Amino acid sequence: MTTQAQHDLLTIAGQAYGSRLLVGTGKYKDFAETRAAIEASGADIVTVAIRRVNIGQDPSQPNLLDAVPPSKYTILPNTAGCYTADDAVRTLRLARELLDGHKLVKLEVLGDPNTLFPNVLETLKAAETLVKDGFDVMVYTSDDPIIARQLEEIGCCAIMPLASLIGSGMGILNPWNLRLIIEQSKVPVLVDAGVGSASDAAIAMELGCDGVLMNTAIAHAGQPILMASAMKKAVEAGREAFLAGRMPRKLYSADPSSPMSGLLGKN
């Protein structure tokens, strides 16, 4: 990694992180595999679905935090499975109690159980309440630049547009909208949902995204730990390519790699 890249940190809500890859903790066969995949990913921020994973809600059951300790990772509680603003706010207030006043959260309000597409009206409503309540809100949303701008104006600390539907692995379907969101945003923009392969992650970073969050692409890979390592490298490569700057595209015009003048055997 270059010196420039080593000092290129991701800053969210005033906290700097070395990794731009954020990972989820669901869908692994057990906590041991979860821990190994996260270690291979190099992630600093690990998101947890409060309604699906035990982080202390049920003291009689295994606790994810024993495998993924808050002393090593920033735990990012999320509201996966919430379909109303009220449910999302209630869930994150519970997470704050379980995590000793933790403020950084991921808001996700779904609108449809088949597509898991975000309900942007309920998302805006919940974001406004949570920001007023003192939370640092990273927010999952559609790839609509207008909604993204409104969420930033409310005070969200990071905008997280989908690349495609949650768990679909379809990759980035609308790079143009992502570029619009990136260009207008003053807070970090992270692709969330839809990444299926390492090349998807690299493309997101080459577009100028500040980071990528994923779960299924790693957890449902044939070899999750190996895929976690691949995703780490893809995010780093995409970021370096973005910083380096892409060569201009030249339609209908070739440009030889070697000079055409002064060829051997020619006067």
Side-chain angles (χ1 to χ4, degrees):
M1 186 178 291
T2 66
T3 301
Q4 182 182 7
Q6 287 173 338
H7 292 88
D8 176 46
L9 303 177
L10 170 64
T11 300
I12 298 176
Q15 179 68 45
Y17 301 93
S19 174
R20 292 175 179 271
L21 174 59
L22 290 67
V23 296
T25 52
K27 302 182 178 179
Y28 292 97
K29 66 180 181 182
D30 53 36
F31 284 168
E33 186 178 71
T34 306
R35 178 175 56 219
I38 292 172
E39 287 178 353
S41 77
D44 296 320
I45 302 176
V46 176
T47 189
V48 177
I50 296 299
R51 301 185 75 178
R52 295 174 178 154
V53 178
N54 183 39
I55 62 168
Q57 305 95 312
D58 185 350
S60 68
Q61 296 298 315
N63 188 329
L64 174 70
L65 300 186
D66 291 334
V68 187
S71 58
K72 184 174 182 181
Y73 301 100
T74 293
I75 304 300
L76 180 67
N78 71 60
T79 58
C82 292
Y83 286 83
T84 68
D86 288 343
D87 277 349
V89 170
R90 190 180 309 115
T91 298
L92 291 178
R93 285 174 175 163
L94 170 62
R96 183 164 59 183
E97 292 179 15
L98 292 170
L99 294 169
D100 299 325
H102 184 80
K103 291 173 57 181
L104 185 65
V105 296
K106 180 194 163 194
L107 171 63
E108 172 180 323
V109 185
L110 304 177
D112 178 83
N114 294 319
T115 65
L116 300 180
F117 211 74
N119 182 328
V120 294
L121 296 179
E122 290 294 298
T123 300
L124 288 163
K125 182 179 172 184
E128 193 162 16
T129 300
L130 291 167
V131 169
K132 288 179 179 175
D133 213 10
F135 285 95
D136 294 321
V137 182
M138 302 176 69
V139 58
Y140 168 69
T141 185
S142 63
D143 60 358
D144 182 334
I146 305 304
I147 296 298
R149 186 164 61 206
Q150 291 178 346
L151 289 165
E152 183 176 346
E153 289 171 352
I154 285 172
C156 294
C157 65
I159 306 300
M160 307 178 76
L162 54 77
S164 51
L165 299 181
I166 292 175
S168 69
M170 295 174 67
I172 298 172
L173 299 185
N174 195 339
W176 311 112
N177 275 24
L178 287 181
R179 287 291 299 271
L180 288 171
I181 293 171
I182 292 165
E183 288 175 8
Q184 75 179 11
S185 296
K186 296 181 177 61
V187 297
V189 176
L190 298 89
V191 156
D192 180 9
V195 167
S197 67
S199 57
D200 295 334
I203 290 171
M205 298 306 295
E206 288 180 5
L207 285 171
C209 289
D210 296 283
V212 179
L213 190 151
M214 66 181 72
N215 186 168
T216 309
I218 296 175
H220 279 188
Q223 297 186 53
I225 298 167
L226 184 59
M227 183 60 80
S229 174
M231 291 298 186
K232 173 186 176 183
K233 294 164 187 166
V235 168
E236 290 175 352
R239 180 63 179 178
E240 288 196 4
F242 171 74
L243 294 174
R246 192 192 191 287
M247 64 164 283
R249 288 184 172 85
K250 297 179 180 178
L251 296 178
Y252 315 118
S253 175
D255 185 2
S257 299
S258 301
M260 293 297 288
S261 60
L263 298 178
L264 294 175
K266 278 196 166 187
N267 294 325

